[in-house]
Amino acid sequence: MKNEREYEKLQRIGVEAPRAYYVPFAEGDKPKTVYGIVDRRSSSRFLSLDGTWLVKQHDELSSVEIGEDLSEKIPVPSCVQMHGFDQIQYLNCRYPFPVNFPYVPRENPCWHYRRTFRLAKEKGEKYYLNFEGVDSAFYLYVNGAFVGYSQISHATSEFDVTARLFDGDNTLDVVVLKWCASSYLECQDKFRFSGIFRSVYLLKRPSKHVTDYKIATRLVGGDGILTFQNESKVEITLRFGGERATVAPGDSAEFFVKNLRPWSAETPYLYTLKLFARGEMIVEKVGFREVSIKDKIFKINGNAVKLKGVNRHESNPKTGATVTLGDMARDLKLMKTLSVNAVRTSHYPDCPEFYALCDRYGIYVMDEADVEMHGALTRHGKYEPELWTDFADDMAFSPGIYDRHRTLVERDKNFTSVIIWSLGNESSFGKAFLKGAKYIRRRDTTRPVHYESTNRRSRYYYTKLVDMISMMYPSPETIQKKVLEDPKETRPFVLCEYTHAMGNSCGDVGDYWDLINKNDCMMGAFVWEWADHAVKTKKGFLYGGDFGEREHDGNFCCDGLLTADRKIKSAALEMQAVYSGKPKPEICAVKHPAITPKAKNVTISVDEKTGCLSSIKADGQEMLKTPMRWNILRYTDNDRRLRSRWNDTYHLPECRPIVRDFEKTADGYAARGYLAANCLEPAAFFTVRYGVCGNVLTVEVEYALSDYIEHFPRFGIEFGVDRKYDRFSFIGFGKTESYVDKHRSCTFGLFHGSAAENYDANYVRPQESGSHYATEYLALDGLFALTAEERFSFSVTPYTARQLYNAAHVFELPKNDCVNVCVDLAMRGVGSHSCGPQLPLKYEIPRKMKNTFRFYF
């Protein structure tokens, strides 16, 4: 296919100037609603081109011929990799091709799409073809003639195709490239999908028509003022609340509303504004709200607001980056249920209808430009943040960054829910950003501007182009020292990412909000992230590396509060408890169930080599399915940075018990020893005493950790019992799993459960789950009851700690013939260290500890 290597430039050809999102109706149309917003499909001027298209994959652009035969089919919108083309790949912060801006490989997969449709072309009308999202770039041909070329994956590309359309059958040919120069600006942490992944449609317009306009609102006491600026070349008639105004090109009009019902996340009231011009009608739903910052305090409608936020990628486990209106509405409804009031569109503008839904449901939006150059800092083979500055200062990137800032603001400027503009994500800050940042500042004075990466360069740290200081993943102590105690800081502070929700996580969300609620200048925080990214297959969920790709970042994409198919995890409940202001749960007095042991006689055997129970018999019946063993292993995704230390430095998985002293006592046995691996000093020392009195078994355990071991996972015992004893009850923090740092969503009380229910199989990568913190009573129904002198943690699950430590996917876990019981003297907190700060010392396990347990059979 003939080309001028447009894909090596940061430009768009033949694309209309960016404008506010709207869909025109004919004056006689009766707009319908869907999910509470205007249904654009009910417009007679809107022709959807979504549906089945023909497609053909090529290894490189040069082999494409516009007139070639296409035989395969693909739905539009969709991602080609989800339909058997190319290769699915997940990368976090690396470019998936050799890094040499602006060049991409000659062997650059591309897809030739074709769609034929019938049009009753009307004289005097204009026709505009809209692509709401194509990754990464595309050439457009209409009836064999070249119309244009576009990039910016998450921006709308609109083409005037009037001159190229026929009355009757028309053919669109779209050639989509996997990579282009813009790919250097779109290195986001996500599956790298390609194709026409958002909707395509045709708009029929009068020859002279509304092009653009700007809506702003402000509050005056209990009243409101709506200002409409006509940025079109035609006269527009407005109807609002029984009033009517005609606005000439370039002019503005105001409407005054008495006894206003202002818009907020809690009360998202919308007024209706209708525009009429040349036979068209445009319906706008407008909320009155005002965003301000005063004395370092972020305010909505004059009131201080805390943003209780989440970061959200557009994702669906079956369709990839393609999401439906139903997907969007479901997410927003879940957010409201979970006490979320804000979303950051990480790290690109979302589908335009998403913002209309946010207007309708009441969600504040930090709207982010499609800018991320994360791969710049890994291009020398390791993570070097200083390499970012080369790209950020390179003026060759400036046109692309400017275009992304411009398209962001112009498309979304009239959405009430958008309260903050964000310049992008993790790209440093430098000369290449200045033109775009200044454009936003000049174009919209009603919203503040956010950008986290200014804090990565001291010369720009206090820039006036950004209205708030932002960080990701600092510890509360860092926030206190670097921000709250900074005498030069005059801006509010926001955590654009925090409490990385990977696996069993978010143990620190409460500690962050204790600090946020105490400081008026802290405007809130956005959890990373809303939902896991994973591909759903017949086997189960797959992540990076499961598709045969060479470069990948494993399960780092499974880092959501919710599963990929939107099941709620315990981290989401912990966040909800904190966001809703639930008081910290306290340990309280709970009446223990009566313990009435049926066994009359208990006998035990102890392995002299391990110091562990090898047999417990009650009235001659064996209670253990697997012998007791010492348990020091744990895996959560937040332990991933420690795993190499645990495995390769301390060799914890290879540690075996070595008994130094063993004796038979009057009522049982006693042993002293240590846990050690070859070549290393002992990791921990233990003393254990077993005593039997009638039907009660007493187990006294004491441990001491070696000084050279840091961040010890846990210390306890583990054993298996018959599967028929899978039901249990306990007094502790429940009903969901709980840990020393993660139990704000819980209450302290008596709870009942089963082994299968207790383990959360929604963790894509198996890990520690189902523990219950500060337990004082545990009973396995029909088997035993357990109390202790000190409170403890326990879990009853279908899997052993080692099985959870080693398995890569939940579908790899074996089906055991027993139920596994873990009783821990102590377990470290879960934190959020997969991408966040180290676990605070107060949540590490004690270096020494002792407890006495009593089993009643």
Side-chain angles (χ1 to χ4, degrees):
M1 188 185 89
K2 182 181 178 181
N3 66 86
E4 300 296 329
R5 298 170 75 155
E6 293 85 359
Y7 51 84
E8 292 178 354
K9 305 177 183 68
L10 296 173
Q11 63 177 358
R12 306 204 291 171
I13 301 168
V15 181
E16 295 292 296
R19 61 166 174 84
Y21 170 77
Y22 60 83
V23 169
F25 287 74
E27 281 197 29
D29 288 342
K30 294 183 178 179
K32 298 178 181 179
T33 60
V34 57
Y35 295 106
I37 66 172
V38 175
D39 185 355
R40 64 191 188 182
R41 298 169 301 179
S42 61
S43 169
S44 61
R45 291 187 170 273
F46 176 89
L47 174 62
S48 173
L49 295 174
D50 291 350
T52 302
W53 291 47
L54 297 174
V55 69
K56 182 177 181 179
Q57 178 168 302
H58 290 266
D59 293 332
E60 56 185 75
L61 185 60
S62 61
S63 66
V64 177
E65 295 180 8
I66 294 303
E68 66 189 350
D69 290 335
L70 308 182
S71 58
E72 295 189 81
K73 295 180 180 180
I74 192 169
V76 169
S78 71
C79 302
V80 296
Q81 288 86 357
M82 299 298 284
H83 292 273
F85 298 99
D86 194 45
Q87 176 158 42
I88 295 175
Q89 182 181 32
Y90 163 65
L91 279 175
N92 173 16
C93 55
R94 291 179 286 167
Y95 291 118
F97 46 77
V99 181
N100 185 23
F101 179 79
Y103 307 110
V104 293
R106 180 182 177 88
E107 297 77 23
N108 183 8
C110 55
W111 297 273
H112 181 181
Y113 289 77
R114 181 176 295 149
R115 167 72 188 260
T116 299
F117 65 97
R118 180 168 287 273
L119 177 70
K121 189 176 182 182
E122 298 179 31
K123 189 175 181 180
E125 297 283 80
K126 301 197 76 172
Y127 295 87
Y128 293 90
L129 185 59
N130 281 259
F131 293 83
E132 288 190 335
V134 181
D135 197 327
S136 68
F138 66 101
Y139 292 87
L140 172 63
Y141 290 78
V142 177
N143 294 320
F146 175 71
V147 171
Y149 166 86
S150 190
Q151 50 191 333
I152 309 182
S153 295
H154 300 86
T156 298
S157 299
E158 185 173 42
F159 300 88
D160 182 350
V161 294
T162 308
R164 299 297 183 186
L165 291 177
F166 303 145
D167 180 23
D169 290 338
N170 292 271
T171 299
L172 304 180
D173 285 280
V174 182
V175 180
V176 178
L177 283 68
K178 182 172 183 177
W179 301 311
C180 66
S182 271
S183 300
Y184 285 92
L185 290 167
E186 296 177 6
C187 188
Q188 289 104 342
D189 174 13
K190 60 185 178 68
F191 279 94
R192 306 301 174 93
F193 290 121
S194 313
I196 305 174
F197 68 96
R198 287 182 182 166
S199 287
V200 183
Y201 53 87
L202 190 72
L203 295 179
K204 181 177 69 172
R205 312 293 306 274
S207 58
K208 293 184 179 180
H209 54 81
V210 173
T211 51
D212 206 1
Y213 52 88
K214 188 177 181 183
I215 300 169
T217 61
R218 65 184 189 273
L219 278 57
V220 183
D223 305 323
I225 297 175
L226 183 153
T227 302
F228 179 91
Q229 179 71 37
N230 184 357
E231 299 181 344
S232 306
K233 294 182 179 180
V234 298
E235 189 176 80
I236 303 175
T237 298
L238 306 175
R239 292 180 187 171
F240 179 80
E243 296 185 60
R244 182 186 179 105
T246 299
V247 189
D251 284 353
S252 62
E254 287 189 344
F255 293 96
F256 189 80
V257 181
K258 293 187 69 66
N259 301 316
L260 180 75
R261 297 177 66 179
W263 183 96
S264 68
E266 295 73 30
T267 57
Y269 187 81
L270 298 172
Y271 292 80
T272 300
L273 171 68
K274 291 184 178 181
L275 291 62
F276 297 88
R278 305 292 179 109
E280 284 188 329
M281 174 181 65
I282 298 170
V283 180
E284 286 281 0
K285 295 293 185 178
V286 181
F288 281 75
R289 63 103 187 92
E290 213 171 49
V291 185
S292 61
I293 295 172
K294 186 176 181 181
D295 299 327
K296 296 173 65 174
I297 301 174
F298 180 77
K299 297 182 177 183
I300 301 287
N301 302 334
N303 301 311
V305 166
K306 299 291 189 184
L307 300 178
K308 300 169 182 178
V310 294
N311 285 271
R312 176 185 175 271
H313 268 293
E314 291 181 320
S315 66
N316 180 297
K318 293 184 178 179
T319 58
T322 297
V323 295
T324 65
L325 195 60
D327 291 337
M328 300 177 222
R330 178 183 60 172
D331 275 357
L332 292 173
K333 289 175 182 177
L334 281 168
M335 288 178 194
K336 298 295 283 189
T337 299
L338 292 169
S339 300
V340 171
N341 71 0
V343 63
R344 178 182 178 218
T345 64
S346 50
H347 299 292
Y348 42 77
D350 282 3
C351 294
E353 289 175 299
F354 177 77
Y355 302 86
L357 290 169
C358 290
D359 290 353
R360 170 67 178 80
Y361 293 135
I363 293 287
Y364 300 124
V365 178
M366 178 187 284
D367 201 5
E368 191 148 277
D370 199 354
V371 177
E372 181 165 347
M373 298 190 287
H374 215 143
L377 59 70
T378 58
R379 69 187 194 270
H380 289 176
K382 54 184 179 179
Y383 204 86
E384 300 176 273
E386 60 272 15
L387 293 180
W388 258 333
T389 61
D390 298 342
F391 279 30
D393 279 333
D394 188 342
M395 292 304 292
F397 286 104
S398 182
I401 295 172
Y402 168 77
D403 208 9
R404 289 153 192 273
H405 289 162
R406 183 175 172 229
T407 53
L408 167 77
V409 171
E410 296 303 341
R411 194 197 71 173
D412 297 343
K413 59 181 175 283
N414 292 330
F415 288 112
T416 303
S417 53
V418 176
I419 60 167
I420 299 169
W421 301 119
S422 179
L423 301 180
N425 185 63
E426 293 183 301
S427 301
S428 187
F429 189 80
K431 298 173 184 176
F433 280 81
L434 297 180
K435 183 179 179 182
K438 289 176 180 177
Y439 179 88
I440 294 177
R441 177 69 80 212
R442 181 175 65 254
R443 182 65 169 130
D444 183 11
T445 60
T446 67
R447 297 176 176 96
V449 176
H450 163 272
Y451 189 52
E452 179 269 341
S453 288
T454 53
N455 80 66
R456 300 175 187 271
R457 295 193 73 180
S458 58
R459 65 179 294 190
Y460 293 111
Y461 187 86
Y462 296 104
T463 177
K464 298 297 183 183
L465 292 172
V466 173
D467 297 297
M468 59 200 71
I469 185 66
S470 174
M471 292 182 183
M472 49 180 68
Y473 310 113
S475 66
E477 293 73 23
T478 298
I479 297 169
Q480 181 69 42
K481 184 176 181 180
K482 189 171 181 179
V483 180
L484 300 179
E485 297 176 6
D486 181 0
K488 295 171 61 179
E489 190 54 78
T490 61
R491 301 165 293 177
F493 174 75
V494 66
L495 281 162
C496 66
E497 295 178 22
Y498 82 118
T499 194
H500 196 257
M502 187 176 181
N504 189 347
S505 188
C506 299
D508 50 11
V509 63
D511 289 345
Y512 278 108
W513 277 86
D514 288 345
L515 186 65
I516 291 169
N517 287 326
K518 287 178 184 176
N519 291 275
D520 291 341
C521 68
M522 295 188 70
M523 54 191 282
F526 294 80
V527 175
W528 186 268
E529 65 174 309
W530 173 241
D532 290 346
H533 305 228
V535 175
K536 193 168 189 177
T537 67
K538 291 181 179 179
K539 285 198 303 183
F541 288 107
L542 303 182
Y543 49 74
D546 290 335
F547 309 97
E549 71 273 41
R550 179 177 174 179
E551 292 86 19
H552 65 85
D553 285 306
N555 73 317
F556 203 64
C557 52
C558 299
D559 54 1
L561 294 161
L562 277 60
T563 64
D565 55 355
R566 284 13 183 210
K567 294 184 177 69
I568 292 175
K569 294 189 267 185
S570 63
L573 298 177
E574 191 77 357
M575 176 201 70
Q576 179 191 34
V578 173
Y579 280 8
S580 65
K582 177 180 178 287
K584 294 180 184 178
E586 301 289 342
I587 294 174
C588 58
V590 177
K591 184 179 180 181
H592 287 212
I595 298 175
T596 54
K598 295 181 180 179
K600 296 179 180 179
N601 183 53
V602 172
T603 60
I604 61 172
S605 298
V606 177
D607 188 329
E608 295 185 26
K609 296 179 180 179
T610 66
C612 294
L613 287 160
S614 57
S615 173
I616 305 174
K617 291 182 178 179
D619 294 339
Q621 181 181 350
E622 180 59 59
M623 298 288 100
L624 297 179
K625 192 76 173 179
T626 62
M628 191 190 93
R629 51 197 173 273
W630 299 111
N631 187 19
I632 60 173
L633 285 185
R634 185 189 84 168
Y635 177 80
T636 71
D637 286 324
N638 286 312
D639 299 330
R640 64 198 306 269
R641 296 192 194 182
L642 297 172
R643 190 178 171 96
S644 63
R645 192 183 310 182
W646 291 345
N647 287 356
D648 304 329
T649 303
Y650 304 145
H651 296 189
L652 293 188
E654 283 74 51
C655 282
R656 63 186 186 277
I658 297 174
V659 173
R660 200 174 63 220
D661 298 304
F662 184 86
E663 63 176 311
K664 181 89 170 62
T665 63
D667 60 351
Y669 302 89
R672 287 191 299 168
Y674 51 86
L675 303 175
N678 290 343
C679 308
L680 298 177
E681 289 183 359
F685 297 86
F686 64 83
T687 300
V688 60
R689 297 178 181 85
Y690 304 99
V692 175
C693 182
N695 53 23
V696 179
L697 167 64
T698 300
V699 182
E700 183 181 300
V701 181
E702 185 174 1
Y703 75 79
L705 307 180
S706 292
D707 291 340
Y708 79 96
I709 301 282
E710 295 181 306
H711 312 298
F712 213 87
R714 73 198 305 174
F715 197 97
I717 58 174
E718 181 180 28
F719 54 89
V721 299
D722 195 282
R723 278 195 297 178
K724 66 184 179 182
Y725 302 113
D726 69 326
R727 307 263 342 150
F728 64 91
S729 56
F730 71 97
I731 294 174
F733 282 109
K735 182 174 184 177
T736 186
E737 59 194 9
S738 58
Y739 299 84
V740 61
D741 62 341
K742 181 184 175 181
H743 56 275
R744 296 206 187 194
S745 63
C746 300
T747 55
F748 191 84
L750 174 64
F751 300 95
H752 305 271
S754 70
E757 295 168 349
N758 196 48
Y759 179 76
D760 191 347
N762 290 312
Y763 295 128
V764 177
R765 198 274 188 218
Q767 56 199 279
E768 157 60 36
S769 172
S771 188
H772 295 281
Y773 169 66
T775 298
E776 58 187 41
Y777 167 88
L778 167 66
L780 260 66
D781 294 358
L783 190 63
F784 66 77
L786 170 64
T787 62
E789 290 186 1
E790 304 291 338
R791 293 185 178 89
F792 58 94
S793 292
F794 85 93
S795 65
V796 178
T797 74
Y799 310 110
T800 69
R802 189 172 290 269
Q803 287 170 342
L804 296 175
Y805 193 83
N806 292 330
H809 299 85
V810 70
F811 53 78
E812 296 173 5
L813 289 169
K815 189 171 184 179
N816 295 319
D817 63 353
C818 64
V819 167
N820 197 68
V821 180
C822 294
V823 178
D824 292 295
L825 281 76
M827 184 191 296
R828 72 192 304 265
V830 296
S832 66
H833 190 43
S834 52
C835 194
Q838 282 194 4
L839 189 74
L841 183 61
K842 63 183 178 180
Y843 298 133
E844 297 283 0
I845 74 170
R847 305 300 296 180
K848 296 180 179 180
M849 196 171 181
K850 179 180 179 180
N851 205 348
T852 300
F853 302 94
R854 291 181 177 85
F855 292 83
Y856 303 84
F857 290 92

